[in-house]
Amino acid sequence: MPSDPPEDTQARSPLWSEPGTLLQHVPVAVFGIDDDDRVCFWGPGAHDLFGHDPADVLGEPGAVLFADADRGTSASCAHMVERGRADGYWRGRLTARNSEGTAFDCGFRVFPVTGAADGSVLLGLASRSDELDRVKTNLAFVDALFRTCPIGLVMLDQDLRYVHVNEALAEMDGLSVEDHLGRRMEDIMITPDGSGEGGGYGGLLRAVAEGGETVVGMLVTTRTTGRPDRDQVRSVSLFPLTQAVGSRPGVGGLLVDVTDREEAIRDAAAGRRRLALLDRAASRIGTTLDVYVTARELVDAAVPDFADGCVVEVVEWMHEAELFDPSLPLVTRRIAAGTCLPPPADRLVGGVETVTYPPGSVIHDMLRTGRPIAAPVDEDFVARTVITEERARILAASGFVCLLIAPLVARGTVQGITMFGRSAARPPFTDDDLSLAGELASRAALCLDNARLYSRVQDIALTLQRALLPSALATSPYVRMAHRYVPGSRVTEVGGDWYDAIALPGDRFALVVGDVMGHGVPAAAAMGRLRITAKALARHDRAPEHLLADLDACAQEAGIELATCLYLVYDPTTGHARVANAGHPPPLLRHPDGRVDTIGDVLGIPLGVGGHPFLTTDLELPDNATLALYTDGLIEARGRDIETGLDALRAELAHAGGPLEPAADRILRNLLPTPLTDDTVLVLARVHRAPPPVTQVRAP
């Protein structure tokens, strides 16, 4: 396509860009018309657009492509061929027809290509007009790009030597058309990845010629022998040529100089990537209050978009008030790591848990200023920062060539460090990258600090809860038990669920289950107060309804607004059980024959409300019956109402005639939702009758 050479002919440095070209958005059919106006070349895209197989169309009149074809002639084809050969370039829209006879509006571009012989070929590019219109709407710059940028057209023989080349490509390469003919493309295009037969650009050409694969819109950074002082970025599309009219097979190509576009795209893409990375970091980092998850989120946000590898390390200070001393070694603990590079990079980032940095290391330099720092991985870096020879060898073989280290500072304290690494395939870190790393580190540091503070509170609360829950339940020769306490998610790990078993006078046995609304230290403390009070009242042999009344008074005095409790007393000598309920889910009774009943129709009023008596239920338990006491976490879940959960528990309990321990595990496995949203208590108790007393008969 004739065009003026670009005004800017100054040398440029190599440009890199994300994949994405016009040809990836608009399928392009490539075909050739010989001097007899017959189809002599048929690219893969031509089959997709027109539907003709190469064998069916090669050698046929070009009129076969147009809707007005009649007996081998077409006014549209004749007009296109005449204008293309007369003007040297023609583009326009004509009505085409595919192999099925369907007519469609099509955009054509034709270029005469002059070869070594006297003949010429009119090379045509065609695309559906509706697809071109779509691209014009969504990518308004595409049409301007094709008008202003030179498009080079080339045909290579089976030995990958130039057979035909247009003036646009000759101008692009800085050589005449004659200087191209008979030479190889890789002899003129000097690419940084090499151009040998087995690899690089030459290997790519050979793969297209021999394998029949097409390459569309591949970006190549190159210099040419005709313009050795100017870097260019070209969008290269290659396709195999089918044999036609006695010609030998080869490779066809379309080369577009997109240097200016790629330079703008590079700058814009870099800015978009920085903004996108910060946006992802804002949404991903700190989604939980878990130190390790937060560190992992930082790694996932950085790799591979920002760096090829990343590690997060926390500093092992003796105490928070300890100040950084640059004269002392710095000991860190690596809590998250990731890389997209092949081994041994994974061993480098993930092969240690504790890292020691000697005084004078690059890490110390960074901590002195409190600002991110970039450093090349050279002999000086290794000598100053890496202690062991083994780690130095792994670093040298890892592929990392530069590192960016940023401090994790929160509340004026260095919480740790994060390191980002890049290989030689990426450009070195820039000032913009340092700023971006500082933003990432600042957010991660705040989230890590919150997570560490929360972990401390959780540890305190969990220790309190474990101390308040029974470590060993009372036992009875007439009651066999299996009990489980399952904490909810880490956010709700500490809750108010509790249970207990208490031995009473006369071989009687009491079971109690409760649930304080809420989570955290207040719920755990309230739970502990109620459990201890219930145990003390039970040992005074309080009747179930009176015990709940006393617990209700205790809850009101302690400011416990809402708690549920179930208290059951079993007498093995009679089989009698008495149950009092304060708003708790009702217990279930499995008979020896597998039938399951619900105990008690009235749940009662929760503790802490006051002013209401607690009703009781009396029943006789058959020998070898099984009781199930539980909290609402077992039967209630998002998307499932309580009645559905109760039905599922009844069905599971009906099959719990065997040992209780595996039965408890099976019930929890089948009923608990994923993920867990609430604490859960399950107590299974199998009751037996006490044997009647032996009456001694005195001899007469």
Side-chain angles (χ1 to χ4, degrees), residues 311-373:
V311 298
V312 179
E313 301 172 3
V314 293
V315 180
E316 298 288 3
W317 300 121
M318 295 297 293
H319 51 81
E320 275 197 25
E322 183 176 350
L323 298 177
F324 167 67
D325 188 344
S327 65
L328 297 177
L330 181 71
V331 180
T332 65
R333 179 165 51 89
R334 189 164 292 179
I335 60 174
T339 180
C340 59
L341 295 181
D346 54 344
R347 292 172 53 202
L348 178 70
V349 302
V352 294
E353 293 185 2
T354 302
V355 185
T356 301
Y357 298 103
S361 71
V362 176
I363 310 300
H364 286 69
D365 293 345
M366 180 270 300
L367 291 178
R368 283 192 191 95
T369 63
R371 297 176 180 176
I373 187 173

Side-chain angles (χ1 to χ4, degrees), residues 126-147:
S127 297
R128 292 187 65 96
S129 296
D130 53 358
E131 294 181 351
L132 289 173
D133 292 339
R134 174 177 57 83
V135 172
K136 288 179 180 179
T137 300
N138 297 332
L139 304 170
F141 68 90
V142 171
D143 189 61
L145 178 66
F146 272 84
R147 288 198 309 268

Side-chain angles (χ1 to χ4, degrees), residues 162-184:
Y162 286 96
V163 176
H164 298 293
V165 61
N166 68 344
E167 289 291 345
L169 182 58
E171 173 65 27
M172 196 185 305
D173 290 340
L175 298 170
S176 67
V177 171
E178 291 73 17
D179 288 337
H180 285 77
L181 301 180
R183 300 176 67 181
R184 296 177 182 271

Side-chain angles (χ1 to χ4, degrees), residues 407-437:
L408 300 172
V409 180
R411 294 184 294 117
T413 302
V414 176
Q415 305 288 328
I417 61 173
T418 181
M419 283 189 279
F420 308 94
R422 285 182 178 176
S423 66
R426 292 179 185 254
F429 290 107
T430 64
D431 291 341
D432 289 336
D433 293 328
L434 289 173
S435 176
L436 176 60

Side-chain angles (χ1 to χ4, degrees), residues 236-395:
V236 178
S237 298
L238 303 170
F239 49 89
L241 296 176
T242 57
Q243 187 171 357
V245 197
S247 64
R248 294 181 298 176
V251 175
L254 180 93
L255 294 87
V256 182
D257 185 348
V258 293
T259 304
D260 294 338
R261 188 196 73 178
E262 288 303 307
E263 185 175 5
I265 289 177
R266 181 198 61 182
D267 295 339
R272 288 196 302 270
R273 286 195 296 270
R274 286 192 293 269
L275 292 175
L277 182 59
L278 287 175
D279 182 64
R280 287 194 299 273
S283 61
R284 293 181 183 178
I285 300 176
T287 59
T288 70
L289 290 172
D290 184 290
V291 173
Y292 295 93
V293 173
T294 300
R296 182 72 247 175
E297 289 169 342
L298 173 58
V299 172
D300 291 342
V303 178
D305 293 340
F306 180 67
D308 295 312
C310 177
V311 298
V312 179
E313 301 172 3
V314 293
V315 180
E316 298 288 3
W317 300 121
M318 295 297 293
H319 51 81
E320 275 197 25
E322 183 176 350
L323 298 177
F324 167 67
D325 188 344
S327 65
L328 297 177
L330 181 71
V331 180
T332 65
R333 179 165 51 89
R334 189 164 292 179
I335 60 174
T339 180
C340 59
L341 295 181
D346 54 344
R347 292 172 53 202
L348 178 70
V349 302
V352 294
E353 293 185 2
T354 302
V355 185
T356 301
Y357 298 103
S361 71
V362 176
I363 310 300
H364 286 69
D365 293 345
M366 180 270 300
L367 291 178
R368 283 192 191 95
T369 63
R371 297 176 180 176
I373 187 173
V377 179
D378 52 19
E379 293 183 1
D380 178 67
F381 176 87
V382 173
R384 293 173 55 194
T385 308
V386 183
I387 293 180
T388 66
E389 293 184 4
E390 179 184 3
R391 298 295 295 174
R393 287 194 297 271
I394 297 176
L395 176 59

Side-chain angles (χ1 to χ4, degrees), residues 15-279:
L15 298 175
W16 300 88
S17 176
E18 299 173 338
T21 68
L22 176 63
L23 294 182
Q24 288 178 314
H25 295 284
V26 180
V28 177
V30 181
F31 61 93
I33 305 293
D34 63 15
D35 290 335
D36 296 326
D37 294 347
R38 294 181 177 273
V39 179
C40 62
F41 298 107
W42 195 250
H47 174 271
D48 296 337
L49 181 61
F50 294 102
H52 297 290
D53 291 329
D56 297 332
V57 74
L58 289 173
E60 294 295 323
V64 72
L65 307 179
F66 297 91
D68 60 351
D70 183 20
R71 298 178 183 177
T73 62
S74 165
S76 298
C77 181
H79 176 73
M80 178 187 73
V81 171
E82 178 185 359
R83 291 291 303 278
R85 287 179 176 149
D87 299 342
Y89 167 72
W90 179 84
R91 70 176 182 179
R93 294 191 178 190
L94 299 171
T95 303
R97 182 168 59 196
N98 61 21
S99 60
E100 297 178 354
T102 302
F104 58 94
D105 192 25
C106 189
F108 290 88
R109 295 170 188 229
V110 291
F111 314 81
V113 179
T114 303
D118 294 335
S120 65
V121 174
L122 191 69
L123 193 63
L125 307 177
S127 297
R128 292 187 65 96
S129 296
D130 53 358
E131 294 181 351
L132 289 173
D133 292 339
R134 174 177 57 83
V135 172
K136 288 179 180 179
T137 300
N138 297 332
L139 304 170
F141 68 90
V142 171
D143 189 61
L145 178 66
F146 272 84
R147 288 198 309 268
T148 58
C149 292
I151 298 176
L153 298 173
V154 63
M155 292 177 61
L156 307 176
D157 63 16
Q158 60 185 4
D159 296 323
L160 302 181
R161 298 182 183 277
Y162 286 96
V163 176
H164 298 293
V165 61
N166 68 344
E167 289 291 345
L169 182 58
E171 173 65 27
M172 196 185 305
D173 290 340
L175 298 170
S176 67
V177 171
E178 291 73 17
D179 288 337
H180 285 77
L181 301 180
R183 300 176 67 181
R184 296 177 182 271
M185 183 182 286
E186 64 266 25
D187 293 337
I188 293 177
M189 291 179 59
I190 307 169
T191 57
D193 59 354
S195 56
E197 285 286 332
Y201 196 63
L204 176 66
L205 290 171
R206 180 62 59 186
V208 174
E210 297 179 354
E213 298 292 332
T214 60
V215 175
V216 179
M218 187 185 75
L219 297 181
V220 177
T221 301
T222 183
R223 292 188 179 191
T224 67
T225 55
R227 301 185 186 278
D229 58 344
R230 181 189 177 200
D231 291 311
Q232 297 181 32
V233 179
R234 296 184 180 181
S235 173
V236 178
S237 298
L238 303 170
F239 49 89
L241 296 176
T242 57
Q243 187 171 357
V245 197
S247 64
R248 294 181 298 176
V251 175
L254 180 93
L255 294 87
V256 182
D257 185 348
V258 293
T259 304
D260 294 338
R261 188 196 73 178
E262 288 303 307
E263 185 175 5
I265 289 177
R266 181 198 61 182
D267 295 339
R272 288 196 302 270
R273 286 195 296 270
R274 286 192 293 269
L275 292 175
L277 182 59
L278 287 175
D279 182 64

